[in-house]
C-alpha cells in the first residue's frame, strides 16, 4: 500500500436509482414526474440566447431567489438555492451539524442522510420508525446535535402531521431542525408556516418531483435570514457558481404557471390512488401515500423477485435490500398508461 493512500478519504457513496441506457423502459424507480415541465419553462427555454453561456451566472442567483421568496410570501433573505435539494441538504449538514452530539433521523428514511453524516464526520443516531413506519416524535425529545426528517418520508411515502412536527420543534429549540419536503406538493402539511416562529427551522424543497425538472437540478431551503446567510457563506466557501444560467432562468419561469403545476399534481394524485387500489386487488399491502410514489409489499411473492421480474420486462422500480424494508417495492407514479402496463405485467407475473 502506498503511503498517500492513507490520506484518501474513504466513503461509502449514496447509490442513485438506475438511469437506463435503453429508450423503451417504463421508468418508475427515481420518483421523477412523468409529465413535461410547464409551458412557461418551454417558452423561456426557446428564448434563451446561446451567447449568454459565455458569461458566468449570477453567483447569488438573485432572480430565482427573489422569485421564490415572492412565490412563497417570504421576506428578503429567506431562501437559499442549490443544485437539487441534495446539494442544499448537503450544504445544510455542513453548515448546521457541527456538534459532538449525534444528529437524529429515522432508521427508515432517505438513504443519503447517513452518507452525508459519514462524509462530514457527524455522529448520528437513528430512532426506529414503528411497525407501520410511523415516526415516534417522543424519540426526538432528547439531547442531540440536530434533527432531519423527510416529510412525507421516503421511501415509506407516509406524512407526519403538522402538530407532530410542531411538537418536535417545541422539544428541539437549541438545534437546527431540517424538514425535507421533497414530496410535500403531493400530500401532507408543510412546516413552512412555522419558520417565522422557529428561527431554528429549515424547510427544504425541490424542483425534481412536482415541477418536473429533475434534470435541471434545482432545490431550495427556506428559513430565518440568519440560517440562510450561514448557508450562503458556506456555499461561497466551496463554489460560488452553483446555479447555472439555465437553472436560474428556467427555475424562475416554472413559478409563473401555477395552474399547470396544480393540474399535474392532481393528475398524479389521482393516478396514485387508482394504482393503490389495483395493487391491493393483486394482493399487495400498500402504505397510505402522500407522495408521488407508493411503497408496497406483496402478500406472498418476495419484493426482490418482483423487482427482477419487472426489470426483465423493462419496468424499473426501486428495491432496497435493507433490513425492515427488504420486502417492499417503491414504485413511482408514472402516466396512466405506464401504470396500466405495470399492473398488467404484475398480473401476469403473479397469476
Ligand atoms: N430528499 C428526498 C427525501 C428525496 O427522496 C430526494 C430524491 N432522491 C431528494 C431529497 C433529492 O432530490 P433532488 O436532489 O433531485 O432535489
Amino acid at each position: 500500500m502506498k503511503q498517500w493512500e492513507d490520506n484518501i478519504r474513504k466513503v461509502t457513496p449514496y447509490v442513485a436509482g438506475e438511469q437506463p441506457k435503453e429508450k423503451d423502459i417504463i421508468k418508475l424507480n427515481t420518483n421523477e414526474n412523468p409529465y413535461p415541465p410547464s409551458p412557461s419553462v418551454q417558452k423561456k427555454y426557446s428564448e434563451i440566447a446561446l451567447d449568454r453561456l459565455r458569461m458566468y451566472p449570477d453567483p447569488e442567483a438573485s432572480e430565482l431567489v427573489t422569485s421564490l421568496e415572492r412565490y412563497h410570501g417570504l421576506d428578503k433573505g429567506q431562501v437559499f438555492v442549490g443544485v437539487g435539494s441534495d446539494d442544499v441538504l448537503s450544504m445544510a449538514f455542513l453548515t448546521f451539524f457541527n456538534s459532538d452530539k449525534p444528529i437524529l433521523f429515522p432508521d427508515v428514511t432517505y438513504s443519503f442522510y447517513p452518507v452525508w453524516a459519514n462524509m462530514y464526520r457527524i455522529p448520528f443516531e437513528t430512532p426506529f420508525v414503528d411497525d407501520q413506519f410511523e415516526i415516534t416524535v417522543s424519540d426526538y425529545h432528547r439531547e442531540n446535535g440536530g434533527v432531519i426528517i423527510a416529510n412525507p418520508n421516503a421511501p415509506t411515502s407516509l406524512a407526519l402531521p403538522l402538530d407532530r412536527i410542531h411538537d418536535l420543534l417545541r422539544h428541539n429549540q437549541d438545534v437546527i431542525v431540517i424538514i425535507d419536503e421533497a414530496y410535500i406538493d403531493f400530500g401532507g402539511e408543510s412546516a413552512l408556516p412555522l419558520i417565522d416562529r422557529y428561527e431554528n427551522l429549515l424547510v427544504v424543497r425541490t424542483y425534481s418531483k412536482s415541477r418536473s425538472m429533475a434534470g435541471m437540478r434545482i432545490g431550495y431551503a427556506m428559513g430565518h435570514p440568519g440560517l440562510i446567510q450561514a448557508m450562503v457563506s458556506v456555499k461561497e466557501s466551496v463554489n460560488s457558481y452553483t446555479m447555472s444560467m439555465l437553472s436560474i432562468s428556467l427555475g424562475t419561469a416554472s413559478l409563473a404557471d401555477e395552474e399547470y403545476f396544480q393540474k399535474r399534481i392532481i393528475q398524479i394524485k389521482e393516478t396514485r390512488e387508482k394504482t393503490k387500489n389495483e395493487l391491493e386487488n393483486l394482493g399487495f399491502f400498500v402504505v397510505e401515500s402522500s407522495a408521488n410514489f407508493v411503497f408496497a409489499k406483496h402478500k406472498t411473492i418476495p419484493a426482490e423477485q418482483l423487482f427482477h421480474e419487472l426489470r426483465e420486462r423493462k419496468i424499473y422500480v426501486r428495491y432496497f435490500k435493507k433490513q425492515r424494508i427488504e420486502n417492499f417495492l417503491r414504485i413511482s407514479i408514472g402516466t396512466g398508461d405506464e401504470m396500466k402496463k405495470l399492473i398488467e405485467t404484475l398480473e401476469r407475473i403473479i397469476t
Side-chain angles (χ1 to χ4, degrees), residues 14 84-86 89 110 113 150 154 180 182-183 206 208-209 217-218:
Y14 172 75
S85 54
D86 280 343
L89 290 164
Y110 186 28
Y113 301 160
D180 175 358
Y183 301 102
T206 179
S208 300
K209 320 293 177 184
R217 312 304 299 125
I218 305 172

Side-chain angles (χ1 to χ4, degrees), residues 117-147:
N118 285 323
M119 172 79 180
Y120 299 137
R121 298 174 182 153
I122 303 162
F124 65 95
E125 285 172 14
T126 55
F128 276 25
V129 294
D130 70 15
D131 290 342
Q132 273 74 52
F133 298 127
E134 302 268 3
I135 292 167
T136 309
V137 170
S138 56
D139 292 344
Y140 298 77
H141 293 179
R142 60 183 160 106
E143 246 199 331
N144 62 67
V147 177

Side-chain angles (χ1 to χ4, degrees), residues 157 186-187 265-281 286-294 333-334 339 343:
S157 76
F186 302 103
I265 287 170
I266 290 169
Q267 209 171 355
I268 289 168
K269 284 162 80 169
E270 282 171 1
T271 312
R272 174 183 77 201
E273 295 315 304
K274 186 162 183 271
T275 305
K276 181 173 189 283
N277 280 338
E278 289 170 342
L279 286 170
E280 284 168 349
N281 291 340
V286 186
V287 177
E288 202 57 57
S289 173
S290 293
N292 66 338
F293 59 89
V294 289
I333 301 301
M339 300 324 273
I343 297 294

Side-chain angles (χ1 to χ4, degrees), residues 234-274:
V234 170
K235 176 225 125 180
E236 306 221 312
S237 308
V238 177
N239 179 0
S240 315
Y241 304 108
T242 47
M243 306 307 285
S244 70
M245 182 273 282
L246 268 181
S247 53
I248 295 170
S249 264
L250 302 184
T252 303
S254 167
L255 300 171
D257 223 335
E258 187 64 17
E259 204 182 312
Y260 177 91
F261 177 66
Q262 296 297 346
K263 203 176 81 189
R264 292 304 198 193
I265 287 170
I266 290 169
Q267 209 171 355
I268 289 168
K269 284 162 80 169
E270 282 171 1
T271 312
R272 174 183 77 201
E273 295 315 304
K274 186 162 183 271

